Amino acid sequence: MLRGLLKLPQVRGGVHPVGHKDRSAALHILDLPLPERLYLPLRQHAGADAIPVVKVGDKVLKGQMVAVAPSEISAPVHASSSGRVVEIAEIMAPHPSGLKSTAIVIETDGEDRWIDTGVSGDPYDEEPLTLANRVANAGIVGMGGAIFPAAVKLKQGTRHEIKTVLVNGSECEPFLTCDDRLMREKAEEIVEGARLIRHILRAYKAVIAIEDNKPEAIAAMRAAAEPYGMVEVEAVPSMYPMGSAKQLIQEITGREVPAGARSTSVGVLVHNVGTVYAIQQALTYGRPLVSRIVTVAGGAINRPRNVNALVGTPVQHLIDACGGLNGDPAKLVLGGPMMGMPLPSTQVPTIKGATGVLALAKHEVPRSEASPCIRCASCVEACPMGLLPLEMAARSRADDFEGADDYGLRDCILCGSCAYVCPSHIPLVQYFQYAKGEQDAKRTAAKKMDYTVELSLAKQARIEAEKAAKAAEKAAKKAAKKKPVTATKPAETEAIKSPSEEESV
């Protein structure tokens, strides 16, 4: 309360990059024509690859599951349109490495015919766990780019007390307007999705947080939420990275998520507006996640706008629908310019976590030549997590990963605010990504070693148990052999015979 009265900033650090949102935000969402082929990567989520359940030559309907999730932190894949499976092969992945990944290739038949979902009845009559499992089967992942399975979050409601469902509509990345347009055009569905999530989590209330540079979206959401007392719409200051979960929680609730902890530790669960819309579609109509809204923008795009793209549609198809390119782009990006990743080609497919496709002109790409640090501390002031980016970078560059961890590397959210303000153009985030990757690799190797030791100990224990069982069996057989040679029968015979012998005598 004191913070509010004094009008002190709730969130530390942050930057205010130029928005570049006007052109794409001004137009309605465009439904794309069907592409000839859809390329469905088996990994569009945080976990392991999904496992195909179709084969080449199979006919599929829109919404039909074509690959199942091998674990809870994975997600199934569904056909984005009706057609025929023509190939299950490796394609170029939407990843800066340009490496290949396995995908199911569907040749569309032009009918775009849905499978019978068989969904009827009121979802509010169903148990929360049943609804969470339906979200899992729909293959819904975090649509803000996190690609973490949404059902895993929903099931946390059974283990934690969730007071507030926080719907993230801040969309603070420059160029991106997909969430803005979705809130303007699908406000009632998003509010209904927030109510369903609140029902699943038994939360006290739902808050939809929107940056104050989106007045049309705020008005549309407030009108849609008005009939429901437990759904609130809050405007938050426009600042990057307001869309980060920890920053948004702090802004809305005034509570800071402790270092190394999750948002559930302060009774809050955050979902992106796109995820909430997908959950509403799945629970109300039984529709799995087969499409999403993507912002196609950047100085090299002729007509920037938002498109409704089927998952698996080649990126080039999206660009063509927006008038194509007006020249060679200086950089292709999947996602936003701050946290997105470079695209190796426009032939890669659209995936579930693709918020945007940016074809940036030369003047929109930051200078890449770095110069020595001048110790200005701009990065420290910009860091929303209160870290010392320069110290972390110095240790990461020297492969001193433990030293970088000591300076809070694990708490770094890779938002790029530090690199954005650095006057020396030092690629700070690249150092952090490198160090985090190395640390993850070490942790994975340690887990594998622990697992190997565990298997070895289990094998040793099994061998010892088998030895003990054989010894016991051998002892039992030996004891059984001794039993027939009992002294009682001869004695009894002798005892029986003795009287007769005595009588004969």
Side-chain angles (χ1 to χ4, degrees):
M1 180 179 291
L2 181 63
R3 185 190 295 270
L5 290 173
L6 296 176
K7 297 184 178 180
L8 296 176
Q10 292 261 317
V11 179
R12 67 168 73 86
V15 294
H16 296 85
V18 179
H20 298 290
K21 293 173 180 279
D22 294 344
R23 293 184 67 191
S24 61
L27 301 174
H28 283 278
I29 297 170
L30 174 69
D31 287 323
L32 293 184
L34 275 177
E36 293 181 0
R37 287 193 172 192
L38 294 164
Y39 302 82
L40 303 173
L42 298 179
R43 180 179 289 186
Q44 303 183 50
H45 41 261
D49 286 12
I51 302 169
V53 292
V54 292
K55 58 183 185 301
V56 174
D58 284 356
K59 289 185 177 180
V60 295
L61 294 174
K62 186 173 185 175
Q64 179 179 333
M65 189 181 292
V66 294
V68 297
S71 67
E72 193 178 45
I73 58 169
S74 185
V77 179
H78 301 77
S80 306
S81 185
S82 56
R84 186 171 60 91
V85 177
V86 294
E87 198 174 11
I88 300 176
E90 290 194 332
I91 64 167
M92 185 181 291
H95 190 272
S97 66
L99 293 175
K100 294 182 179 298
S101 67
T102 307
I104 297 172
V105 184
I106 296 174
E107 193 172 73
T108 56
D109 58 13
E111 298 180 10
D112 203 31
R113 188 151 57 95
W114 272 97
I115 193 171
D116 181 12
T117 60
V119 171
S120 61
D122 188 350
Y124 291 99
D125 292 336
E126 296 188 40
E127 290 296 318
L129 188 57
T130 303
L131 294 174
N133 286 332
R134 284 178 56 189
V135 172
N137 290 332
I140 298 172
V141 299
M143 306 280 280
I147 62 172
F148 193 76
V152 177
K153 278 187 171 182
L154 295 179
K155 291 177 182 177
Q156 290 186 24
T158 60
R159 298 189 291 271
H160 304 275
E161 182 189 22
I162 304 299
K163 297 176 182 175
T164 305
V165 174
L166 187 50
V167 180
N168 187 351
S170 56
E171 197 171 48
C172 56
E173 279 258 16
F175 291 97
L176 300 186
T177 56
C178 54
D179 289 347
D180 184 3
R181 285 305 324 184
L182 187 66
M183 288 187 287
R184 295 194 208 183
E185 299 182 29
K186 303 290 183 185
E188 292 181 359
E189 288 87 345
I190 294 169
V191 169
E192 178 62 15
R195 294 180 64 229
L196 284 166
I197 294 173
R198 177 179 165 269
H199 166 72
I200 294 172
L201 296 171
R202 307 294 194 204
Y204 301 164
K205 64 178 181 179
V207 178
I208 302 169
I210 309 170
E211 279 194 345
D212 56 12
N213 61 354
K214 304 174 184 61
E216 296 89 350
I218 293 172
M221 296 302 297
R222 281 182 173 160
E226 192 174 4
Y228 310 106
M230 295 298 179
V231 181
E232 303 170 6
V233 178
E234 293 281 347
V236 296
S238 301
M239 184 199 73
Y240 181 86
M242 186 57 78
S244 171
K246 290 186 177 181
Q247 277 64 40
L248 198 60
I249 289 170
Q250 191 174 356
E251 181 64 33
I252 293 295
T253 69
R255 301 189 65 183
E256 187 171 357
V257 179
R262 298 183 184 279
S263 61
T264 50
S265 65
V266 294
V268 181
L269 206 62
V270 183
H271 279 291
N272 172 267
V273 289
T275 313
V276 174
Y277 175 71
I279 289 173
Q280 185 269 339
Q281 293 288 299
L283 298 184
T284 306
Y285 305 111
R287 293 175 182 168
L289 180 56
V290 296
S291 65
R292 67 154 299 137
I293 311 302
V294 182
T295 302
V296 183
I301 298 289
N302 275 321
R303 295 193 298 273
R305 71 182 304 170
N306 289 282
V307 298
N308 185 14
L310 295 176
V311 173
T313 303
V315 164
Q316 184 63 51
H317 195 71
L318 277 63
I319 294 174
D320 291 343
C322 295
L325 300 171
N326 54 30
D328 291 336
K331 189 176 183 181
L332 285 170
V333 179
L334 185 69
M338 301 294 282
M339 296 187 73
M341 57 183 179
L343 270 181
S345 163
T346 57
Q347 299 307 314
V348 299
T350 305
I351 56 176
K352 296 176 181 178
T355 52
V357 171
L358 306 182
L360 300 176
K362 187 176 179 181
H363 68 276
E364 295 168 333
V365 179
R367 209 181 83 186
S368 58
E369 299 84 12
S371 54
C373 174
I374 59 173
R375 313 293 292 184
C376 65
S378 298
C379 58
V380 178
E381 292 178 13
C383 180
M385 300 302 292
L387 305 176
L388 300 175
L390 182 60
E391 299 295 342
M392 291 196 304
R395 281 149 185 82
S396 300
R397 190 165 44 193
D399 288 350
D400 178 12
F401 306 124
E402 284 74 18
D405 270 344
D406 292 341
Y407 277 94
L409 179 65
R410 284 194 177 192
D411 290 324
C412 174
I413 59 175
L414 300 175
C415 66
S417 296
C418 53
Y420 179 80
V421 298
C422 178
S424 298
H425 306 287
I426 298 173
L428 294 162
V429 177
Q430 291 181 26
Y431 289 124
F432 305 151
Q433 288 173 333
Y434 164 67
K436 279 178 175 275
E438 290 295 313
Q439 289 292 69
D440 286 345
K442 279 187 178 180
R443 281 190 284 272
T444 303
K447 281 184 182 177
K448 283 184 179 177
M449 179 60 73
D450 291 344
Y451 185 59
T452 303
V453 170
E454 188 181 333
L455 288 178
S456 178
L457 292 174
K459 182 181 178 181
Q460 188 64 34
R462 189 175 68 249
I463 292 172
E464 295 294 334
E466 287 174 355
K467 281 183 180 177
K470 285 180 181 177
E473 185 181 359
K474 190 175 179 181
K477 285 181 180 177
K478 190 175 180 180
K481 283 181 181 178
K482 286 182 180 178
K483 280 186 179 178
V485 192
T486 56
T488 52
K489 285 188 178 178
E492 288 173 359
T493 307
E494 188 177 353
I496 293 170
K497 286 180 179 179
S498 297
S500 60
E501 287 171 355
E502 288 176 1
E503 286 174 5
S504 62
V505 172

